[in-house]
Amino acid sequence: MTSETVDRPVSASSTAAAGGRGGPASAPRRRTGDRRWTKRSTILFVVGVVIALITIFPLVYMVLSSFKPESEIYGSSLLPRHWTLSNFVYVFTEVPFLRYMFNSAFVSVVVTVVALWFHSMAAYALSRLRWKGRETVFLIIFSTLLVSLPVVLIPSFVVVRTLGMLDSYWGLIVPSLFSAFGIFLLRQFYIGLPDELEEAALIDGAGYWRIYWSVVLPLSRPILSALAVFFFLANWNSFVWPLTIISNPDLRVVQVGISTFHQQYASSQSYIVAASTVAAIPTLLLFFFFQKQITESIKTSGFK
């Protein structure tokens, strides 16, 4: 009998299997979790750690100094030799600091909620609806980003005084509702949404308001969460505008309240540091809870 040799194509899987049995074609495989520390990655890691330490050092120094007595506030030691809570007790008992924090929290929350609502509607109209003059209106809104606060401070004060909103919550809230940055960021996000979703909703008989409320807003949660953080922090740390229009001590926001510490307690820096530490706690908590949303919004909006 004659034997015939049949040529069969050798598959990649069989070759890999043969190599896996220790053949000469076998090559070492890197596991998914392995990480090689090259010279470049090591340098970048060290530089990142140094920058992170430099960034958080002032915050750590402020927190630790808030537990120091007045005699150690200008000392060279980072850690307090005698830990004390008297600075915080004084801030919350002898000064209406809780009132200042309430004013800042109330203004920040109201501005954040109302601004997100108005900005999302404006961004939806500027990105998903077709109407004459849309691009011109967007360019006018976007151009306001080039105007700094000192330029419009006096005109805004005149308008607020004319409307009778000095020394009131309205004067703190209404001028802060508009932000071209929020409209621009939401518009860029809405442009990237698939057209099929809106077309399917139109076929089902939904109007533009229904599409905005039931389709667009639920998809906007990451970007809205990030903007909520930005708006809250901007109004929580607001200083120049509240200082300009508010003279009633009961309406002082937290940043203006801390500035009065420099006038009344200039020789007691421990009180100022303790008040600054308390004022920084809400902003830090907000960032820690929403840092994932901030990162996702930057990626989905096209900013890298």
Side-chain angles (χ1 to χ4, degrees), residues 208-227:
Y208 289 117
W209 175 260
R210 184 67 176 178
I211 295 173
Y212 161 76
W213 188 260
S214 301
V215 178
V216 175
L217 278 186
L219 295 175
S220 307
R221 290 177 182 175
I223 189 67
L224 290 177
S225 300
L227 279 178

Side-chain angles (χ1 to χ4, degrees), residues 68-74 84 87 266-271:
K68 293 181 180 180
E70 185 63 29
S71 58
E72 300 180 14
I73 200 67
Y74 292 108
T84 179
N87 300 327
S267 59
S268 301
Q269 294 294 324
S270 57
Y271 300 152

Side-chain angles (χ1 to χ4, degrees), residues 1-182:
M1 297 180 61
T2 60
S3 60
E4 297 181 355
T5 303
V6 179
D7 295 335
R8 296 181 180 178
V10 181
S11 62
S13 58
S14 60
T15 305
R21 290 192 295 267
S26 62
R29 295 182 179 180
R30 185 190 302 178
R31 290 178 297 179
T32 306
D34 291 347
R35 181 169 182 171
R36 292 185 178 181
W37 286 93
T38 62
K39 182 179 180 180
R40 182 175 179 271
S41 62
T42 304
I43 294 176
L44 291 177
F45 177 78
V46 173
V47 171
V49 170
V50 171
I51 294 176
L53 292 177
I54 294 175
T55 303
I56 67 174
F57 177 77
L59 178 64
V60 175
Y61 181 79
M62 179 185 68
V63 174
L64 294 177
S65 298
S66 63
F67 294 97
K68 293 181 180 180
E70 185 63 29
S71 58
E72 300 180 14
I73 200 67
Y74 292 108
S76 58
S77 176
L78 180 62
L79 295 175
R81 294 187 179 89
H82 303 88
W83 294 76
T84 179
L85 294 175
S86 59
N87 300 327
F88 296 97
V89 173
Y90 187 91
V91 167
F92 285 109
T93 56
E94 302 298 330
V95 180
F97 199 72
L98 286 178
R99 178 68 183 184
Y100 301 158
M101 296 190 67
F102 170 78
N103 293 336
S104 291
F106 176 75
V107 172
S108 301
V109 170
V110 172
V111 169
T112 300
V113 174
V114 178
L116 287 180
W117 187 31
F118 286 151
H119 288 190
S120 60
M121 289 192 295
Y124 175 71
L126 291 170
S127 60
R128 312 298 297 187
L129 303 183
R130 301 288 182 179
W131 46 280
K132 186 178 180 179
R134 185 185 68 173
E135 299 301 325
T136 303
V137 172
F138 172 71
L139 289 176
I140 294 174
I141 294 174
F142 184 75
S143 63
T144 59
L145 288 173
L146 305 176
V147 182
S148 59
L149 177 60
V151 175
V152 298
L153 184 62
I154 296 178
S156 300
F157 176 81
V158 173
V159 172
V160 169
R161 184 185 61 182
T162 304
L163 297 177
M165 294 190 298
L166 293 179
D167 275 334
S168 66
Y169 286 119
W170 291 110
L172 294 172
I173 293 173
V174 174
S176 303
L177 292 178
F178 174 79
S179 173
F181 173 76

Side-chain angles (χ1 to χ4, degrees), residues 138 142 145 180-192 222-223 226-227 230 291-304:
F138 172 71
F142 184 75
L145 288 173
F181 173 76
I183 296 177
F184 170 74
L185 201 64
L186 284 168
R187 178 181 178 271
Q188 296 302 112
F189 179 82
Y190 291 159
I191 289 177
I223 189 67
L227 279 178
F230 292 146
Q291 58 179 329
K292 182 178 180 180
Q293 284 78 1
I294 295 175
T295 306
E296 291 297 326
S297 67
I298 294 175
K299 292 190 299 183
T300 55
S301 300
F303 299 100
K304 297 182 180 179

Side-chain angles (χ1 to χ4, degrees), residues 245-301:
I245 69 168
I246 297 298
S247 59
N248 186 357
D250 293 334
L251 294 177
R252 287 175 181 168
V253 295
V254 64
Q255 303 300 333
V256 178
I258 293 177
S259 69
T260 60
F261 277 44
H262 291 276
Q263 303 172 3
Q264 301 176 7
Y265 311 103
S267 59
S268 301
Q269 294 294 324
S270 57
Y271 300 152
I272 300 175
V273 175
S276 301
T277 302
V278 175
I281 292 176
T283 60
L284 294 175
L285 293 178
L286 197 67
F287 176 76
F288 286 140
F289 283 118
F290 290 97
Q291 58 179 329
K292 182 178 180 180
Q293 284 78 1
I294 295 175
T295 306
E296 291 297 326
S297 67
I298 294 175
K299 292 190 299 183
T300 55
S301 300

